[in-house]
Amino acid sequence: MTDPHFWWYVTRASALVAWCLMTISVLWGILLSTRVLRRFDNPSWLNDIHAYASGMSILMVLLHMVSLMLDGWLRFSITEVLVPFSAHYRAFPVALGVIAFYLLIAVGGTSLLIKRLPRPFWRTIHYSSYGALILISFHAGFTGTDVGSPWYRWLSLTLIGLASLAIVTRVLVGRSVNRAARPRRDDVIVPRTAPAATASSTAAAAAVPSSPLGGPATPVVSLDGLDLVVVARRRVAEGVVGIRLARADGHPLPVWHPGAHLTLRLPGGLERQYSLTSDPADRQSAEICVRLSPTSEGGSSWIHSTLHEGMRISAVGPSNHFELEPAPSYLFVAGGIGITPILAMIESLPARRDWYLLYIGRSRATMPFAAELLRQYPERVTVFPSDEHALPADLHAFLARGADLVYCCGPESLMDAVAAYVSPERLRIERFVAVVRQSLAGLHSTEVTCRRSKVSFTVPATSSILEEMERHNVPIIGSCRKGVCGTCEVRVLGGVPEHLDSVLDDDRKNDLGIMYPCVSRSSSTELILDV
């Protein structure tokens, strides 16, 4: 560090490394969104690389700024480093670099807070990374002392060429994915009538791993309602219809990952959650599957008898408490309509990933996607129609294969049976119904303060926190009202919540500082919520 040119070398090196990392981050993000890299590894793992490159680029930019202040030749002040157009040396291109730095900070900061921000806002900020990369390119071109060097020109052309190629790939591949994902016209079935029934959906109701999570949960809910239109409808199994939905305004759907669900707002005040089964890369439309159930409250019967192509429907989401976590190997166990979230997971995995599926149902005719899965993955998929076997499926033998993570979705009896063989840290479960939980604190009134709404009220022992929040016009969305879907998630700023829901593991909720007020209450006499 005694070399008078030391900090000049650090300045040059950190700037070039930051530019390379920023280009890699943007390129990686574009390739992820087009799923060109699907065959190489898990989307979650690839997303970690994208985030790592972005974070390291910010660190390199910070090192670049610090070294400018320590360089004895330039002698930048902290004001010149942080305030655009204040530099004594090439003020305009330096200002471009300063503005790019603030854009990077905004992108990085909102990414860290993604679980607490509206998705449209996060996306808008995230898109500014393209602007930051352009500004950095101009900044490097007009301020770098190596601009005239052949190696610098080749590096610049390579970085700009890679970014341009990624953008072209995003446009071309994105369009082809969207076209391929749309059902053919002859696949669409639009029945105008259906057998009379009083039913609601049991189709993969939004729920959550009930065991401790090995990785971060992502209980993200877009609180902005979506105005959707039915673009296609098809029969996927006996008593099961597939509904393909797109935004009525033609804009892309929010970003979602395998395991996510939509909350549909149905007539009569009903709200029902349905897993997304289609390709997450298709941002123009998404498909849900709904089984007609004779034992519920009218949701699925309305969808089967009334919801047809061209109709509009309101929805909330997507949200996800059952996201596929990165792991070397998986075992999937699906029961009946529980195949819906697992289907998207399987389709997102690369060909070389180690996984197996046991799919159990009443009969082949009632099992959605069974034939397609067997045809596409004959060595990985075991389909077990109960009417073709005298004995139940041998779960123990299947689970004895061993895997890093086990995902299960289906009837409670199936999930309980799987849980008996698999340790909680390896098991991820999505429930259709809430687990009955008794309050240990006893029913008592609670003083609740909603800080951002500047509203305080008393929640009597006979009322839920969610009901009182709605009664006092606090902006919150409730859906299942049974502690299953996670739509009403709020942050806890003070007090001690008593978790009575079936969404996340209680320790995980405490770590995240969240609760679900539809059924959960408070162990303390006062509760402060960030809403």
Side-chain angles (χ1 to χ4, degrees), residues 18-360:
W19 190 9
C20 291
L21 287 171
M22 183 62 188
T23 302
I24 291 172
S25 176
V26 171
L27 182 148
W28 209 259
I30 292 175
L31 295 182
L32 278 172
S33 66
T34 59
R35 298 185 71 201
V36 168
L37 298 178
R38 168 187 168 183
R39 68 182 62 186
F40 296 109
D41 219 318
N42 282 2
S44 297
W45 186 82
L46 296 174
N47 189 66
D48 289 342
I49 293 181
H50 170 62
Y52 178 80
S54 178
M56 287 301 298
S57 67
I58 294 176
L59 291 179
M60 288 296 104
V61 171
L62 289 172
L63 178 60
H64 176 65
M65 297 168 73
V66 171
S67 63
L68 282 173
M69 292 187 287
L70 296 175
D71 184 10
W73 180 63
L74 286 175
R75 295 186 182 279
F76 271 69
S77 68
I78 189 170
T79 300
E80 291 176 306
V81 167
L82 296 177
V83 179
F85 303 105
S86 64
H88 66 280
Y89 172 78
R90 300 184 181 179
F92 180 73
V94 169
L96 297 182
V98 175
I99 295 171
F101 167 70
Y102 288 127
L103 290 177
L104 290 178
I105 292 296
V107 171
T110 53
S111 295
L112 292 175
L113 298 173
I114 186 172
K115 297 177 184 178
R116 311 189 190 281
L117 296 175
R119 298 293 282 194
F121 174 77
W122 173 84
R123 285 197 304 274
T124 300
I125 298 299
H126 208 71
Y127 286 146
S128 65
S129 60
Y130 299 119
L133 183 59
I134 294 172
L135 292 178
I136 287 174
S137 300
F138 280 105
H139 169 75
F142 287 104
T143 61
T145 56
D146 299 301
V147 171
S149 304
W151 67 267
Y152 188 89
R153 292 178 181 175
W154 279 109
L155 177 64
S156 301
L157 290 174
T158 300
L159 294 177
I160 294 173
L162 286 173
S164 301
L165 178 63
I167 292 173
V168 170
T169 302
R170 174 69 180 90
V171 173
L172 296 180
V173 177
R175 287 178 178 174
S176 65
V177 168
N178 290 340
R179 286 195 298 268
R182 295 189 180 95
R184 298 187 306 273
R185 187 69 189 177
D186 56 4
D187 287 340
V188 179
I189 300 174
V190 190
R192 298 299 177 181
T193 60
T198 301
S200 69
S201 170
T202 59
V208 23
S210 61
S211 59
L213 299 178
T218 53
V220 180
V221 178
S222 170
L223 295 183
D224 300 313
L226 295 174
D227 185 14
L228 304 177
V229 61
V230 178
V231 296
R233 170 176 169 143
R234 63 185 181 124
R235 180 181 184 272
V236 295
E238 184 179 302
V240 181
V241 295
I243 305 292
R244 184 162 287 273
L245 301 163
R247 288 184 58 162
D249 57 13
H251 292 164
L253 292 169
V255 174
W256 62 276
H257 300 285
H261 65 269
L262 279 176
T263 297
L264 297 189
R265 294 167 171 167
L266 306 178
L270 291 176
E271 293 187 349
R272 294 293 181 265
Q273 292 75 41
Y274 303 98
S275 292
L276 295 168
T277 64
S278 50
D279 188 343
D282 179 10
R283 299 283 305 286
Q284 296 306 119
S285 64
E287 187 174 58
I288 61 171
C289 291
V290 183
R291 181 184 295 282
L292 181 63
S293 170
T295 60
S296 52
E297 301 168 355
S300 68
S301 63
W302 183 85
I303 289 175
H304 273 252
S305 63
T306 307
L307 190 61
H308 55 79
E309 188 175 351
M311 287 186 64
R312 295 172 72 155
I313 191 169
S314 179
V316 176
S319 58
N320 199 340
H321 299 278
F322 194 49
E323 187 169 344
L324 183 67
E325 300 172 29
S329 59
Y330 303 90
L331 291 178
F332 299 103
V333 181
I337 199 66
I339 190 63
T340 49
I342 289 176
L343 179 67
M345 295 180 183
I346 289 174
E347 292 296 331
S348 73
L349 292 175
R352 68 185 182 91
R353 180 58 67 243
D354 183 17
W355 65 268
Y356 294 93
L357 165 68
L358 174 61
Y359 182 13
I360 303 172

Side-chain angles (χ1 to χ4, degrees), residues 439-507:
S439 173
L440 298 178
L443 295 178
H444 60 84
S445 62
T446 304
E447 293 296 321
V448 174
T449 299
C450 299
R451 178 165 292 179
R452 278 190 287 161
S453 299
K454 299 180 181 179
V455 174
S456 296
F457 48 84
T458 300
V459 178
T462 56
S463 181
S464 74
I465 297 176
L466 176 63
E467 289 171 346
E468 292 301 321
M469 293 173 75
E470 292 174 332
R471 190 169 291 121
H472 288 83
N473 297 318
V474 175
I476 188 169
I477 296 177
S479 181
C480 72
R481 300 178 184 269
K482 299 176 182 178
V484 176
C485 73
T487 303
C488 62
E489 177 185 300
V490 293
R491 289 184 63 208
V492 180
L493 302 179
V496 182
E498 183 182 24
H499 302 295
L500 302 176
D501 60 274
S502 304
V503 185
L504 293 173
D505 177 80
D506 289 355
D507 290 337

Side-chain angles (χ1 to χ4, degrees), residues 353-375:
R353 180 58 67 243
D354 183 17
W355 65 268
Y356 294 93
L357 165 68
L358 174 61
Y359 182 13
I360 303 172
R362 295 196 309 273
S363 65
R364 291 181 186 271
T366 62
M367 299 171 69
F369 312 110
E372 293 92 327
L373 286 166
L374 279 174
R375 183 171 58 252

Side-chain angles (χ1 to χ4, degrees), residues 358-364 367 382-394:
L358 174 61
Y359 182 13
I360 303 172
R362 295 196 309 273
S363 65
R364 291 181 186 271
M367 299 171 69
T382 300
V383 172
F384 191 93
S386 297
D387 64 349
E388 298 178 12
H389 300 272
L391 298 175
D394 191 347

